[in-house]
Amino acid sequence: MTTISSSTAAPTNSLSLDGVIDAITNSETVDVLEPSDHGLQVYNPYPVLGAPTLPSWPRGVPLEVIKKPEYSNTTLKEIKVPSKSFGVLQSLADYQPDVDAIFRITQPVPLWFKRLEENRHLMLPTGVLTPYNAQATLHFKSSFFALFLPLTVHSRVSDIWRSYIAQRLFWDVGIKFGFMPRPIVVQDRNPHSNLGDLDAERDLYMKSHKLVEFLNEWTGKGSTLVERMEELYIALYERDYLGLADVEFVQLWLKSLLDSGYEFPSVVDSPAVISRPVAMPAAAEEDDDEGNESCEMDKSLTFWTSDLHSSSCVDVASTLSHLKQNVIVARRNERETSPVIDMKGVTAYTELSDVIGKEYITHKTILTEDMVQRNFEFYKKNPKIASVDAFVCSFPAAMCELWMPFDKTIVFLPCHQYNLGRCSEKEWERLDEHLRALASMDSPKHIIAAAEAYDYEYLRHYTGIKAATLTAKVRWGSFHQEYLQPSKG
């Protein structure tokens, strides 16, 4: 922990917090300085703000740039900005500044920032990122949505990740972030272990570079800030910057703000037209096909479900129908799925093999190689099966093993434990091997998914697979039409 004070031990020519706030709130426009033609994705503000020694950098700046002067030595230009565009202002801290463990091990600390004559705030242009912390930081009302601190990473990482996420969202709503020209606080740091901090900050050293690159390339699809913030947290979870719980917590945070009457800033510009700075220095090479995919949302596919549980059949069929997809529901009892049979694109199919019509009738059924082979022989020339693009299996999800020989996409989405029905160790191990094989294939592409955090962790523990998370809000067993609408989770 740290303590922050406005100690009079600081050099003269300090700022006052009240003065900073009054100057912004009592004026329509404010004169600021902005790096001119920076052209890079990240900015190191310490040199221009009076760091007494070089190299010098704040906690969270990618290590790849700390000794590169072009990331800090930029001509500053004076501009006027509307005072209402201020979202966050960060004050640096004298004596014990907010630097990382590598700095503390290799550079002289304590330190005092030089007192420059400049009184104008340093504002970052759209498209350029820099880290700020959760210490001497002033949030104006427009940026209250960005107060949320991720909980699934270490506290030495959490506020830095928050700052990068917030700035990326600021670009979409016209909010500005900047630094005060001089520190308003003197920080007397409680005892820390530099080696302990070094270990806690590992994500900052290893991931900041790629995070900055990702945020510069990311484009939100939602029309509101709430939608884009949720999208971004999901994307960061999928790329292992955050844990799944942060997606759920940020959804609760957004709901709380909406319930309180907080007015989110409106999206004012499409990220697609933001001028993108040039890339950062290359880090370790990684395969990255992101951005090369074509997402044809208007293309209709055909899905097959033969789940034993009528409710999962109903949920799959109704959701896909509302997404303008085609669904074949293959079940013995058409009455149990009658609420969805009349939906557009949904077809009941009762030409069943003996395996799915007479033998595989409970989740406790032991699936044998003979059953898999006989089911394949029955359907291998069936025109309905030929039209299928993907098999969806939810209850039991392990029933998908029946459809693996058809060389079509498998959507493995358990609505119960993924291994339900695989009661012996041998059966369970065979299922795990099949899932790992599916997860590793590119053609056809298979989807291994989980509906909740517990399901995700359970599946990862036993298979090592990081499943896609498709959060569902389903009232199992309810056939009322109003419950069949797909819901955003």
Side-chain angles (χ1 to χ4, degrees):
M1 294 180 61
T2 60
T3 58
I4 297 178
S5 69
S6 54
S7 169
T8 56
T12 58
N13 200 19
S14 295
L15 295 175
S16 115
L17 180 58
D18 289 341
V20 169
I21 295 174
D22 288 344
I24 293 175
T25 56
N26 294 330
S27 305
E28 290 188 3
T29 61
V30 179
D31 292 334
V32 301
L33 295 175
E34 180 181 270
S36 175
D37 301 321
H38 184 58
L40 299 170
Q41 293 180 349
V42 70
Y43 185 73
N44 176 9
Y46 268 24
V48 77
L49 290 173
T53 60
L54 296 176
S56 193
W57 64 94
R59 175 169 56 97
V61 164
L63 294 182
E64 289 83 354
V65 311
I66 60 176
K67 297 182 72 174
K68 295 181 180 292
E70 62 268 30
Y71 285 86
S72 55
N73 294 347
T74 304
T75 302
L76 301 178
K77 64 179 179 180
E78 180 181 326
I79 61 172
K80 287 184 179 292
V81 297
S83 58
K84 65 180 181 181
S85 70
F86 278 75
V88 174
L89 274 176
Q90 164 88 69
S91 167
L92 303 186
D94 274 324
Y95 191 64
Q96 291 287 353
D98 186 36
V99 292
D100 59 35
I102 291 178
F103 187 101
R104 292 187 179 278
I105 293 170
T106 62
Q107 304 296 320
V109 180
L111 62 82
W112 300 88
F113 286 89
K114 298 175 183 177
R115 288 312 189 254
L116 308 177
E117 294 301 319
E118 185 55 64
N119 285 317
R120 289 168 291 190
H121 303 300
L122 176 69
M123 305 297 291
L124 271 291
T126 296
V128 179
L129 295 167
T130 194
Y132 63 85
N133 60 39
Q135 297 171 12
T137 306
L138 179 63
H139 282 74
F140 292 87
K141 185 177 180 180
S142 62
S143 68
F144 279 5
F145 71 90
L147 284 167
F148 176 80
L149 278 166
L151 302 175
T152 60
V153 292
H154 195 280
S155 60
R156 299 290 296 171
V157 176
S158 177
D159 57 345
I160 302 302
W161 269 198
R162 176 180 76 169
S163 73
Y164 280 132
I165 296 167
Q167 288 172 83
R168 177 58 193 87
L169 294 170
F170 289 170
W171 301 350
D172 291 4
V173 293
I175 290 177
K176 294 289 187 180
F177 161 74
F179 292 92
M180 300 177 199
R182 290 181 298 285
I184 62 171
V185 298
V186 176
Q187 179 169 241
D188 187 9
R189 197 172 191 244
N190 290 346
H192 276 239
S193 163
N194 286 336
L195 292 181
D197 285 348
L198 186 74
D199 183 58
E201 294 165 357
R202 179 176 174 81
D203 276 2
L204 298 183
Y205 308 137
M206 306 306 294
K207 296 183 178 181
S208 291
H209 175 278
K210 283 296 184 183
L211 176 59
V212 167
E213 287 189 342
F214 168 70
L215 292 173
N216 266 278
E217 295 301 324
W218 179 79
T219 299
K221 297 180 176 62
S223 60
T224 68
L225 179 57
V226 171
E227 292 173 313
R228 291 192 181 183
M229 188 168 178
E230 184 180 25
E231 287 175 28
L232 184 50
Y233 268 82
I234 291 171
L236 293 171
Y237 157 68
E238 291 173 340
R239 288 157 181 80
D240 204 30
Y241 293 104
L242 299 171
L244 178 60
D246 275 323
V247 175
E248 297 166 342
F249 288 139
V250 84
Q251 290 170 334
L252 293 173
W253 166 250
L254 293 170
K255 182 179 184 301
S256 297
L257 288 177
L258 289 168
D259 290 346
S260 73
Y262 175 74
E263 294 185 11
F264 285 83
S266 299
V267 172
V268 296
D269 200 4
S270 169
V273 301
I274 291 176
S275 176
R276 300 295 187 191
V278 299
M280 294 171 56
E285 292 292 329
E286 291 185 15
D287 292 334
D288 188 2
D289 295 329
E290 188 178 344
N292 297 326
E293 299 177 359
S294 175
C295 189
E296 299 178 283
M297 295 301 292
D298 58 344
K299 181 179 179 181
S300 290
L301 302 175
T302 299
F303 296 84
W304 170 288
T305 176
S306 52
D307 274 7
L308 302 181
H309 201 303
S310 56
S311 293
S312 61
C313 274
V314 166
D315 180 53
V316 167
S318 61
T319 299
L320 291 173
S321 172
H322 283 92
L323 293 173
K324 297 181 173 58
Q325 305 300 306
N326 302 311
V327 188
I328 299 171
V329 180
R331 285 178 54 81
R332 291 177 301 153
N333 192 338
E334 185 178 329
R335 181 187 64 79
E336 292 181 345
T337 53
S338 59
V340 294
I341 294 305
D342 293 331
M343 286 186 172
K344 186 176 180 179
V346 180
T347 303
Y349 191 64
T350 56
E351 187 177 337
L352 308 182
S353 68
D354 285 346
V355 175
I356 64 173
K358 299 178 181 179
E359 299 170 39
Y360 207 139
I361 57 175
T362 170
H363 69 269
K364 297 179 181 179
T365 300
I366 297 175
L367 181 64
T368 66
E369 293 294 338
D370 176 67
M371 292 167 65
V372 173
Q373 184 61 36
R374 285 188 289 114
N375 188 68
F376 177 73
E377 291 297 328
F378 184 88
Y379 284 116
K380 67 180 181 180
K381 296 182 180 180
N382 184 289
K384 279 287 185 184
I385 291 291
S387 71
V388 169
D389 294 293
F391 296 96
V392 184
C393 306
S394 290
F395 189 96
M399 195 173 185
C400 269
E401 289 180 297
L402 264 180
W403 307 110
M404 288 178 61
F406 292 88
D407 197 29
K408 294 177 182 286
T409 293
I410 299 290
V411 180
F412 185 87
L413 177 59
C415 66
H416 204 287
Q417 287 183 343
Y418 83 92
N419 58 316
L420 186 68
R422 299 299 176 260
C423 302
S424 71
E425 184 177 351
K426 183 177 181 181
E427 290 177 289
W428 191 346
E429 288 178 349
R430 182 189 64 187
L431 173 63
D432 288 349
E433 289 175 4
H434 286 162
L435 291 177
R436 293 187 193 102
L438 293 175
S440 66
M441 293 176 64
D442 291 323
S443 181
K445 184 72 174 179
H446 304 288
I447 299 172
I448 312 298
E452 299 292 348
Y454 176 84
D455 298 328
Y456 171 89
E457 296 296 345
Y458 189 83
L459 185 61
R460 184 170 68 165
H461 177 76
Y462 286 103
T463 68
I465 297 171
K466 293 184 177 181
T469 305
L470 306 177
T471 302
K473 291 182 179 177
V474 180
R475 303 192 181 206
W476 299 103
S478 297
F479 292 158
H480 301 293
Q481 194 72 18
E482 61 266 27
Y483 294 151
L484 300 179
Q485 301 293 330
S487 59
K488 281 191 174 182

